[in-house]
Amino acid sequence: MRNTNAEIVPMIMEKTLSLLMKKNPDEITMREIAKECGVTATLIYHYFADKTELFQEIGLDCILKLNDIITQAAEKKRTPKTKCIAAARAFRDWCFENPRKAVLVMSGIKSKEEGAEEDLQKFYVCNRTGERLLKEAVDEGSAHSKNIELDVGILISGLWGCCETVILKKSGAEYWNNGVDFTDRFIQLWANEIFE
């Protein structure tokens, strides 16, 4: 993204996210985004190289907001174990409260595959938060993990898989409106493996 205008870029991102709540990314054109924003496509191209970059910036913004939610949920707990579990549940709750956004962020928006390592790592901020929380539990002695990054990656990937299964109604029908039980079981299995 090029130098940003304090008012234009947030408006472009907000209007584009609004479109993404109704249509799949491949169904949206830059002209449509420009029309929704009341600006020219040329102006949008001044800030974003293409719609993939714009969508990735929106995805990153969602991820950063999700990370704030995860962090706040963990901070309300006292022990490292309850912090990890609270963070996982906050991730799950966000997915269920924002199903369309969750599907877009986790699988609908093309992942950033190249660029500066620092920029790529921003997309893994939730993983880094989870790793920090699990490391606290390991250091305290209430958890065991030979590979914290792997164990947190499995938690996030597996939990997202469970959430997506419920959101897309691919789980048993009894969980379509009760995804908490479905996902709590996964969180419990993971916690039982990690915590003493």
Side-chain angles (χ1 to χ4, degrees):
M1 185 169 50
R2 295 164 179 82
N3 292 334
T4 61
N5 176 309
E7 295 172 11
I8 296 286
V9 170
M11 184 267 299
I12 292 169
M13 290 177 62
E14 179 185 333
K15 298 282 188 181
T16 304
L17 179 58
S18 221
L19 282 172
L20 286 165
M21 293 297 99
K22 301 172 203 159
K23 298 171 116 180
N24 292 326
D26 59 349
E27 298 172 325
I28 300 171
T29 66
M30 285 296 256
R31 288 185 191 276
E32 184 177 8
I33 294 167
K35 183 178 178 184
E36 187 75 18
C37 294
V39 298
T40 64
T42 305
L43 179 68
I44 296 175
Y45 282 117
H46 175 75
Y47 297 106
F48 301 96
D50 53 30
K51 72 177 188 174
T52 298
E53 183 181 295
L54 172 55
F55 294 163
Q56 287 171 344
E57 285 298 317
I58 290 167
L60 178 58
D61 188 57
C62 291
I63 289 168
L64 293 173
K65 288 175 182 171
L66 171 58
N67 189 61
D68 288 343
I69 291 166
I70 290 169
T71 301
Q72 290 170 13
E75 287 172 354
K76 293 177 183 174
K77 300 300 179 182
R78 299 183 73 156
T79 68
K81 177 180 179 179
T82 57
K83 287 180 181 191
C84 287
I85 292 170
R89 287 181 175 152
F91 174 89
R92 180 265 322 276
D93 293 345
W94 180 84
C95 289
F96 287 156
E97 290 164 9
N98 303 281
R100 174 79 180 165
K101 196 180 290 185
V103 170
L104 282 166
V105 169
M106 298 300 289
S107 58
I109 294 175
K110 183 180 176 189
S111 297
K112 195 165 194 168
E113 297 171 356
E114 41 187 70
E117 182 65 25
E118 181 181 311
D119 289 338
L120 297 177
Q121 285 303 312
K122 292 176 186 176
F123 287 85
Y124 297 96
V125 67
C126 295
N127 292 62
R128 301 297 91 86
T129 296
E131 290 163 16
R132 179 182 53 77
L133 294 170
L134 183 53
K135 183 176 184 320
E136 288 175 18
V138 169
D139 290 348
E140 177 208 52
S142 63
H144 59 275
S145 173
K146 292 181 181 174
N147 187 332
I148 291 172
E149 183 177 348
L150 175 64
D151 288 335
V152 169
I154 288 169
L155 171 63
I156 291 173
S157 298
L159 184 54
W160 165 244
C162 290
C163 291
E164 183 180 39
T165 297
V166 171
I167 291 167
L168 299 179
K169 298 189 181 331
K170 293 183 178 182
S171 64
E174 66 271 24
Y175 299 109
W176 292 356
N177 296 313
N178 187 16
V180 170
D181 285 350
F182 192 81
T183 52
D184 266 350
R185 181 68 177 132
F186 177 80
I187 294 168
Q188 178 186 22
L189 290 169
W190 180 85
N192 288 347
E193 181 66 25
I194 298 295
F195 292 97
E196 304 293 329

